[in-house]
């Protein structure tokens, strides 16, 4: 399998190189040159497989040039054995034909564990084979940082430096990062905001000379193809559990960067019968505005009760635009260069095609709280604010009540106690047993000034072989 850039100019790469690269050299994102396609008969034969085995069936075509089958199977067994539920991605029923798929049974209680637990193992495997080392540098406002740290804590060939804005992440989120012990784990609290952190990461990827040529940076955000790949699997899992592929399914996906929902779109292209995909956003609704009026326009960032979806531009949307433009990289490049300057539209027939593929909705904080309250009163089941947005969008956009509607449950409610309190419920979401002592664990992090040379100096001095 070869991977090509959405902007058409960077060289095609194999899986190993795509794994170790962030953006393509032309500024694009990597996508598979062609997708595997599974027949209904083949998908049907996967009924009843354990999650790790299903993951092997769905993902192996993407990695087969780089990893022998047995090694990949072993890696997947390890990856999904750290989840705290035997079914890995269990389904919970809310109503007739209405479901939540709980993707928060991993070590950091958000769906990002599905990809980042695998990514850490993939990186270490490929780096061992190549006798290479990488430094992961990432900025986080919450969930990505902790999932990346948990995913890489046992990697021998990876040092990980995560920047978070000092005193501006929730205590649960900070402790999930700073209480993980390991010589290769480094938390940096920057005296600035999330944008400052992101700017420093971007600048460092652009010029890596501070590392003295002895190692290189690798990315763990959702521009990394391996993350999208791992997220395709659970669409198959949910469908098979509810009678697929002999009936089609609808999915509602809380999204900001268009990562998780893009994986659903790929599952459909790979042969899984999906009749509806709902894009669920919060007030940062660039995707919903595009789907409603064919205008892709950056607005100011709004802080919401669902912070993991607080974005201004949606990075993975570029991967969909590439398909909408018949995989014409030059057209995507021109469009996105214009989008950086002001609002853009696409040709009407392309936009109509997008509308056939997706429905969309934007849900504000008040309605998010209302939904948390409604579902608790109906089912005594607590939704986190991100999942609540998905459930509300599913209810608003539903087309056919005979089709099971599955909302992706992206986080555990105990990660976002403020939203639960704000919804007026008196119940307090409890952290699961394996994290019950989070507030007693020892924290480790370094506070640095909002200054890129200080941060780079710290990294250059503290990675393993420095
Ligand atoms: C990251 C995250 C999302 C959004 O994921 P996308 O990659 O933007 O689709 C939604 N909910 C939670 C809890 C998250 O951590």
């Amino acid at each position: 399998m070869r991977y090509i850039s959405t902007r058409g100019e960077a060289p095609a790469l194999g899986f190993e190189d795509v794994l170790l690269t962030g953006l393509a050299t032309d500024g694009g994102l990597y996508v598979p040159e062609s997708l595997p396609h599974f027949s209904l008969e083949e998908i049907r034969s996967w009924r009843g497989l354990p999650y790790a085995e299903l993951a092997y069936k769905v993902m192996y075509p993407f990695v087969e040039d780089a990893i022998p089958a047995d090694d990949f199977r072993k890696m997947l067994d390890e990856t999904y054995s750290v989840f705290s539920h035997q079914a890995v991605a269990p389904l919970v029923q809310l109503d007739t034909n209405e479901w939540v798929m709980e993707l928060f049974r991993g070590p950091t209680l958000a769906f990002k564990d599905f990809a980042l637990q695998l990514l850490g193992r993939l990186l270490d495997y490929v780096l061992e084979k190549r006798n290479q080392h990488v430094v992961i540098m990432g900025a986080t406002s919450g969930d990505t940082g902790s999932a990346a740290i948990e995913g890489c804590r046992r990697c021998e060939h990876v040092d990980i430096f995560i920047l978070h804005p000092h005193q501006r992440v929730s205590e649960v989120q900070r402790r999930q990062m700073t209480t993980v012990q390991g010589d290769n784990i480094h938390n940096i609290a920057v005296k600035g905001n999330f944008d400052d952190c992101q700017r420093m990461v971007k600048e460092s990827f652009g010029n890596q000379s501070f590392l003295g040529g002895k190692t290189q940076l690798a990315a763990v955000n959702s521009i990394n193809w391996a993350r999208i790949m791992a997220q395709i699997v659970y669409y198959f899992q949910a469908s098979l559990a509810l009678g697929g592929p002999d009936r089609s399914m609808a999915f509602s996906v809380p999204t900001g960067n268009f990562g998780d929902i893009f994986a659903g779109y790929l599952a459909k292209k790979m042969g899984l019968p999906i009749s509806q995909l709902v894009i669920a956003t919060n007030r940062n609704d660039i995707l919903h505005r595009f789907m409603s009026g064919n205008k892709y326009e950056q607005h100011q960032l709004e802080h919401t009760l669902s912070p993991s979806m607080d974005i201004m531009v949606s990075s993975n949307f570029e991967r969909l635009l590439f398909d909408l433009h018949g995989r014409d990289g030059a057209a995507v490049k021109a469009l996105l260069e214009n989008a950086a300057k002001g609002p853009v539209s696409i040709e009407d027939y392309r936009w109509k095609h997008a509308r056939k593929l997706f429905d969309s909705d934007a849900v504000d904080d008040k309605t998010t709280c209302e939904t948390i309250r409604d579902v608790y009163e109906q089912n005594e089941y607590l939704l986190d604010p991100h999942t609540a947005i998905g459930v509300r969008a599913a209810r608003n956009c539903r087309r056919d009540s005979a089709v099971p509607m599955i909302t992706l449950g992206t986080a555990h409610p105990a990660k976002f106690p403020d939203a639960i309190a704000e919804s007026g419920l008196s119940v307090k979401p409890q952290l699961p047993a394996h994290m019950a002592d989070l507030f007693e664990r020892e924290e480790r992090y370094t506070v640095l000034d909002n200054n890129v040379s200080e941060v780079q100096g710290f990294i250059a001095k503290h990675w393993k072989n420095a």
Side-chain angles (χ1 to χ4, degrees), residues 142-168:
D143 295 337
T144 306
S146 55
I149 286 172
E150 278 290 344
C152 296
R153 63 191 295 186
R154 294 192 183 82
C155 295
E156 294 195 19
H157 305 274
V158 177
D159 282 272
I160 178 162
F161 293 80
I162 297 292
L163 282 55
H164 72 263
H166 187 41
Q167 291 172 342
R168 290 189 206 204

Side-chain angles (χ1 to χ4, degrees), residues 109-112 143-144 222 227 231 253-262 308-309 311 314 316 384 386-387 410-412 415-416:
L109 311 182
F111 83 92
K112 292 186 171 72
D143 295 337
T144 306
S222 60
R227 279 190 58 182
Q231 292 167 205
V253 187
T255 194
N257 270 322
F258 207 73
D260 221 0
I261 186 129
F262 186 70
S308 303
M309 287 154 54
I311 49 93
S314 188
N316 277 292
D384 100 287
H386 305 80
T387 310
T410 52
H412 192 287
K415 276 194 107 159
F416 300 97

Side-chain angles (χ1 to χ4, degrees), residues 99-405:
W99 304 80
V100 168
M101 178 164 45
E102 294 189 338
L103 299 177
F104 49 76
R105 301 303 194 111
T108 72
L109 311 182
F111 83 92
K112 292 186 171 72
D113 289 327
F114 276 82
L116 286 164
Q117 283 295 317
L118 179 61
L119 185 67
R121 289 173 171 88
L122 282 168
L123 282 173
D124 225 30
Y125 181 90
V126 166
L127 293 166
E128 165 81 29
K129 190 163 102 180
R130 294 182 162 204
N131 191 21
Q132 236 176 291
H133 175 275
V134 297
V135 166
I136 285 172
M137 184 179 182
T140 191
S141 54
D143 295 337
T144 306
S146 55
I149 286 172
E150 278 290 344
C152 296
R153 63 191 295 186
R154 294 192 183 82
C155 295
E156 294 195 19
H157 305 274
V158 177
D159 282 272
I160 178 162
F161 293 80
I162 297 292
L163 282 55
H164 72 263
H166 187 41
Q167 291 172 342
R168 290 189 206 204
V169 297
S170 81
E171 188 168 6
V172 173
Q173 289 185 319
R174 188 192 69 236
R175 285 183 163 273
Q176 280 190 310
M177 298 191 278
T178 58
T179 59
V180 179
Q181 307 298 327
D183 294 344
N184 64 338
I185 295 167
H186 309 272
N187 280 286
I188 300 174
V190 174
K191 289 187 198 158
N193 59 30
F194 174 62
D195 289 334
D196 296 323
C197 297
Q198 233 178 359
R199 192 173 31 76
M200 288 191 216
V201 171
K202 210 168 171 190
E203 202 174 318
S204 303
F205 269 83
N207 180 358
Q208 304 188 14
S209 57
F210 68 99
L211 294 169
K214 286 179 283 180
T215 181
Q216 68 180 77
L217 295 183
V220 287
N221 51 13
S222 60
I223 62 171
N224 192 313
W225 161 255
R227 279 190 58 182
I228 305 288
M229 172 182 87
Q231 292 167 205
I232 300 170
V233 178
Y234 42 69
Y235 288 89
F236 281 86
Q237 160 86 357
S239 166
L240 285 162
L242 297 177
D246 296 311
R247 62 199 296 217
S248 67
M249 302 288 145
F251 289 91
S252 174
V253 187
T255 194
N257 270 322
F258 207 73
D260 221 0
I261 186 129
F262 186 70
Y265 159 82
L266 294 178
K268 181 174 175 170
K269 289 192 37 150
M270 288 161 67
L272 187 69
I274 296 179
S275 56
Q276 197 183 2
L277 283 167
V278 179
I279 298 169
T281 74
N282 64 21
R283 286 287 304 286
N284 297 288
D285 57 352
I286 184 166
L287 291 168
H288 176 58
R289 284 183 282 114
F290 173 79
M291 294 306 299
S292 316
N294 190 10
K295 196 155 131 196
Y296 192 70
E297 180 182 25
Q298 204 169 320
H299 282 181
Q300 273 229 305
L301 187 75
E302 303 223 19
H303 292 280
T304 71
L305 290 173
S306 44
S308 303
M309 287 154 54
D310 288 349
I311 49 93
M312 288 197 291
V313 291
S314 188
S315 49
N316 277 292
F317 194 55
E318 176 162 350
R319 288 184 160 121
L320 179 71
L321 287 171
F322 187 56
D323 280 5
L324 291 176
H325 287 81
R327 309 205 115 201
D328 176 353
V332 173
K333 181 166 189 259
L335 181 73
L336 288 165
E337 280 170 4
N338 285 333
K341 294 177 221 143
V344 291
S345 301
I346 64 176
E347 286 113 307
D348 194 55
Y349 75 98
R350 300 192 197 280
W351 176 67
K352 289 204 171 107
H353 181 57
R355 303 240 319 176
K356 281 214 188 78
L357 295 168
F358 299 97
D359 292 297
S360 69
D361 197 10
V363 179
D364 63 17
D365 279 351
K366 183 165 159 283
T367 314
T368 303
C369 288
E370 222 171 81
T371 310
I372 292 173
R373 206 164 51 235
D374 286 351
V375 169
Y376 190 76
E377 279 161 9
Q378 291 155 358
N379 300 67
E380 285 189 34
Y381 184 71
L382 259 187
L383 297 174
D384 100 287
H386 305 80
T387 310
I389 286 171
V391 167
R392 175 55 72 121
R395 290 177 175 180
N396 287 350
C397 297
R398 188 150 197 192
R399 287 208 216 121
D400 182 349
S401 60
V403 173
M405 170 60 87

